[in-house]
Amino acid sequence: MPPPQPSRRVLVPSHVSLRVFDEETVLLNLDSGQYYGLDAAGTAFWQAMQEAGTIEGALVTLEEHLGVERGRLHTDLERFCQDLRSRGLIELVSG
């Protein structure tokens, strides 16, 4: 896995629509027509990234609320972001 880049901002492209239902989130890539569902953990990651605006900020928030070790959180959040990015559901922008 590449070294962490915590200052990356997470942006939702205009071709992505989303809806949060309690502890689940559904994302729709309007370009491909594919839906992608997030479970409770994925929704917590998603909300933390949206509120914090950066991966580093999301890590701080998640660490405080979940009580999980930071290294593990970083690995999981990085995989989560790369999966969403590969599906065209987010963009990662440095700075």
Side-chain angles (χ1 to χ4, degrees):
M1 180 172 297
Q5 298 176 349
S7 65
R8 287 175 297 165
R9 293 192 148 304
V10 179
L11 303 175
V12 180
S14 61
H15 66 268
V16 174
S17 179
L18 67 104
R19 180 110 189 234
V20 178
F21 302 93
D22 295 319
E23 294 182 358
E24 295 182 10
T25 301
V26 176
L27 298 109
L28 170 61
N29 183 328
L30 298 170
D31 287 348
S32 69
Q34 292 191 315
Y35 286 91
Y36 188 75
L38 304 179
D39 61 12
T43 296
F45 280 9
W46 180 269
Q47 290 175 333
M49 289 187 309
Q50 295 305 300
E51 290 171 13
T54 64
I55 293 175
E56 178 63 26
L59 283 169
V60 171
T61 299
L62 291 165
E63 186 177 32
E64 289 173 2
H65 289 97
L66 300 178
V68 177
E69 187 266 325
R70 187 179 183 91
R72 165 107 189 235
L73 273 175
H74 182 268
T75 299
D76 291 347
L77 188 57
E78 187 68 30
R79 284 185 185 142
F80 177 74
C81 288
Q82 292 306 322
D83 185 38
L84 293 178
R85 186 172 160 260
S86 72
R87 296 171 188 271
L89 299 169
I90 64 170
E91 295 174 358
L92 301 175
V93 180
S94 297

